[in-house]
Amino acid sequence: MITRSIYIGNPAYLKLKDEQMYILEPSTKEVKGKVPVEDLGLLMLDHFQITISHQLIQKMMGNNVVVVSCDGHHLPHGIMLPLYGHTEHSDRIKDQLEASEPLKKQLWKQTVESKIENQKEVLKRFGNYYEPMIDYQNNVKSGDITNMEGIAAQHYWKYLISLDFLRQRFGDSPNQFFNFGYSVLRSIVARSIVETGLLPVLGIFHKNKYNPYCLADDLMEPYRPFIDLLVMQWLAINSETEELTKEFKAFILQIATKDVRIDDKTRPLLVAVKTTATSLYKCYTGEKRLISYPEMI
């Protein structure tokens, strides 16, 4: 089922009634809108005067809704996910823990190849210099020991933005637009990992004792170019602004319903991410050898 992504950037009181999330104006209690909880996939809260009932939180956790909380700079600061998203949770984690290092190195190789392929397609769509990306993709080794991902990224950002652009978490504009998009994407991927019954903290490549979402950071890599494409489309129309406006955030939340190609089928990205997470589990069990990753349409 295709779920909805909801952004709330004004004071609001959120409560559960008739299996729906009611959005009320805090002072008058006037109903501003309502959404069936089963239709929700992601809820972003971006105002300090938002109050949410515990009953609604419990209902959302039961429906695998990811709740994203933004900080005073209006950037995603934390996410809330259910502890258990699958009936076979313990068995699936056992398979995840027993995955061999050679298998994880092969899975990371596939991940990097898919990411570079999609980066190449983004460059092509803007008529930019993409040809070296083909060689980078063809030279990815098991575990990406030659760091083709990093080499490809240097080329990609130079020719997507400018020759002197540095892609950084706290870098100059337009870094902030990409950072916001990636935060949304990370939340979507984490949701699918939990829903599949896997632990987001146990990555196939990323390992960081301070990072509870290593696996999400792995699986989101081939999806990043879809965010890049959306951001570039936004910047083409709004080139004068550096502000993360409500309009931009609403535009980026479209990512969940954007069509991608996966396993030779056209699917919304939210559905594709679940396909990717499910295929990873099947790789852990030996049922599959390849992770299902998206392609540009």
Side-chain angles (χ1 to χ4, degrees), residues 191-205:
R191 172 187 183 268
S192 291
I193 290 170
V194 171
E195 194 176 7
T196 304
L198 302 176
L199 285 177
V201 70
L202 297 177
I204 55 178
F205 174 76

Side-chain angles (χ1 to χ4, degrees), residues 141 159 218:
K141 309 297 183 186
Y159 290 95
D218 288 330

Side-chain angles (χ1 to χ4, degrees), residues 23-277:
I23 305 167
L24 284 73
E25 203 284 325
S27 57
T28 65
K29 297 298 187 287
E30 178 188 354
V31 177
K32 294 294 186 180
K34 52 187 177 180
V35 183
V37 175
E38 65 179 5
D39 290 350
L40 278 173
L42 182 146
L43 174 65
M44 179 170 286
L45 309 177
D46 189 16
H47 200 284
F48 287 160
Q49 294 179 11
I50 294 173
T51 303
I52 182 169
S53 74
H54 187 245
Q55 187 183 25
L56 175 58
I57 291 173
Q58 289 300 306
K59 189 68 176 180
M60 289 192 294
M61 293 302 97
N63 282 270
N64 291 315
V65 179
V66 57
V67 181
V68 181
S69 175
C70 294
D71 61 18
H73 300 286
H74 307 286
L75 293 172
H77 186 66
I79 64 176
M80 183 184 296
L81 292 165
L83 281 176
Y84 309 106
H86 197 279
T87 54
E88 300 174 1
H89 186 67
S90 59
D91 282 346
R92 293 194 168 213
I93 289 175
K94 182 174 178 288
D95 292 326
Q96 185 181 9
L97 287 168
E98 292 177 349
S100 68
E101 285 302 315
L103 171 62
K104 288 190 282 189
K105 288 182 178 180
Q106 279 299 312
L107 296 176
W108 182 242
K109 176 179 183 289
Q110 297 169 27
T111 302
V112 173
E113 289 172 335
S114 178
K115 179 182 181 180
I116 295 175
E117 169 66 23
N118 287 334
Q119 286 177 324
K120 180 192 73 177
E121 287 303 312
V122 172
L123 291 178
K124 285 178 70 175
R125 293 194 180 199
F126 289 101
N128 295 342
Y129 181 43
Y130 71 89
E131 284 80 4
M133 301 292 281
I134 299 172
D135 289 333
Y136 301 146
Q137 183 183 17
N138 291 336
N139 284 288
V140 179
K141 309 297 183 186
S142 178
D144 192 25
I145 56 174
T146 54
N147 192 29
M148 286 297 110
E149 182 195 19
I151 294 170
Q154 290 182 14
H155 175 93
Y156 176 71
W157 290 110
K158 277 185 179 179
Y159 290 95
L160 183 65
I161 306 296
S162 66
L163 295 179
D164 59 352
F165 176 74
L166 294 177
R167 170 73 194 110
Q168 295 174 330
R169 184 178 178 185
F170 301 107
D172 296 334
S173 186
N175 272 291
Q176 70 274 23
F177 295 103
F178 295 105
N179 293 339
F180 181 87
Y182 296 153
S183 295
V184 172
L185 178 61
R186 193 186 199 214
S187 302
I188 292 171
V189 175
R191 172 187 183 268
S192 291
I193 290 170
V194 171
E195 194 176 7
T196 304
L198 302 176
L199 285 177
V201 70
L202 297 177
I204 55 178
F205 174 76
H206 286 91
K207 297 180 179 71
N208 186 329
K209 66 180 181 179
Y210 304 109
N211 182 5
Y213 296 107
C214 290
L215 185 56
D217 291 341
D218 288 330
L219 297 188
M220 70 182 279
E221 294 293 353
Y223 287 89
R224 285 179 183 264
F226 294 90
I227 290 288
D228 301 340
L229 188 60
L230 265 187
V231 170
M232 294 302 293
Q233 290 171 348
W234 173 267
L235 293 176
I237 303 170
N238 303 273
S239 58
E240 300 301 318
T241 181
E242 296 185 3
E243 182 183 354
L244 295 174
T245 62
K246 293 178 181 179
E247 291 76 16
F248 168 75
K249 293 174 183 178
F251 182 79
I252 286 297
L253 285 177
Q254 295 180 68
I255 189 66
T257 55
K258 287 292 183 183
D259 283 339
V260 303
R261 191 79 175 161
I262 190 165
D263 288 345
D264 295 323
K265 297 176 182 177
T266 300
R267 294 286 185 266
L269 182 136
L270 191 72
V271 175
V273 171
K274 178 64 184 301
T275 301
T276 296

Side-chain angles (χ1 to χ4, degrees), residues 271-286:
V271 175
V273 171
K274 178 64 184 301
T275 301
T276 296
T278 302
S279 70
L280 171 63
Y281 173 70
K282 291 180 179 179
C283 289
Y284 286 153
T285 61

